[in-house]
Amino acid sequence: MILYHGSNIIVETPKIIKAEHGRDFGFGFYTTDIKEQAIRWAIRKAKLMQRKGQPYTPYISVFEFDEENYQKLNCIHYDEPSMEWLNMVCACRGDISFSHGYDIVTGKIANDNVGETVTYVLQGIMRKEDAVERLKFEKINNQICFNTETALRYLKHIGYEDCR
């Protein structure tokens, strides 16, 4: 399987990325199997970095991952927004110290529209059941998060593209 990571830098050696706020599936190295999505991420990240005085060039780094490796790792896959997926996203976004224990988490991305719904749940404005129903009508892209160093060893860098 070919995976993409969008950024303002070329990533040859992936690392677990930690931040000051929670991510959908916790701290990790986020990829997607959708090239256009990675390009959008790269452009967005590059623009954010440009505002901070850093390089603007958007890149997608390209990796190969043999799907047979899923059997060697502790993985979970969410095909669509569900109560289990929403619980994972809320736990990871709501508590940066939360650890789910998976090597790889694959599932839908909580983009801006979805993120708003997740925020409503976290703030107690919307019930989880209503959020899951609402999310069934959203077009949601995929993400594959490598959460451990063990999982990262199975990613093979095969190139990059300048997205300008």
Side-chain angles (χ1 to χ4, degrees):
M1 161 179 12
I2 301 299
L3 299 175
Y4 307 94
H5 175 82
S7 186
N8 66 312
I9 60 172
I10 298 166
V11 178
E12 293 180 358
T13 306
K15 294 183 170 82
I16 303 296
I17 298 171
K18 297 198 175 192
E20 62 281 350
H21 55 85
R23 305 271 188 224
D24 290 355
F25 299 145
F27 296 140
F29 182 74
Y30 282 80
T31 64
T32 182
D33 56 353
I34 303 169
K35 185 176 182 178
E36 297 77 20
Q37 178 182 328
I39 291 169
R40 286 191 304 273
W41 281 348
I43 291 170
R44 181 174 182 232
K45 177 75 173 188
K47 286 180 179 177
L48 288 171
M49 293 295 105
Q50 182 184 33
R51 289 185 205 138
K52 295 178 180 181
Q54 295 183 20
Y56 170 70
T57 307
Y59 295 102
I60 56 169
S61 298
V62 185
F63 298 89
E64 188 172 47
F65 178 75
D66 186 341
E67 292 177 78
E68 289 182 16
N69 291 320
Y70 279 121
Q71 278 50 333
K72 300 174 187 174
L73 299 165
N74 184 19
C75 304
I76 189 163
H77 177 79
Y78 301 105
D79 289 320
E80 61 183 30
S82 63
M83 186 61 72
E84 187 180 7
W85 171 85
L86 184 59
N87 285 335
M88 170 72 82
V89 173
C90 286
C92 290
R93 283 189 169 201
D95 179 1
I96 63 170
S97 65
F98 175 76
S99 177
H100 49 66
Y102 292 104
D103 294 306
I104 298 175
V105 181
T106 304
K108 301 304 179 183
I109 181 172
N111 61 18
D112 291 342
N113 294 338
V114 177
E116 180 180 76
T117 301
V118 171
T119 299
Y120 291 157
V121 171
L122 288 172
Q123 293 175 347
I125 296 170
M126 181 180 286
R127 293 178 334 126
K128 288 182 178 179
E129 294 81 3
D130 296 330
V132 170
E133 284 304 311
R134 179 180 180 182
L135 294 173
K136 288 180 181 178
F137 298 100
E138 291 284 341
K139 182 179 185 285
I140 306 174
N141 288 326
N142 299 326
Q143 60 186 345
I144 299 101
C145 182
F146 291 76
N147 295 97
T148 65
E149 296 296 330
T150 301
L152 287 178
R153 287 189 212 119
Y154 292 99
L155 268 182
K156 178 184 174 192
H157 181 259
I158 58 174
Y160 71 91
E161 292 181 31
D162 184 323
C163 301
R164 285 181 285 190

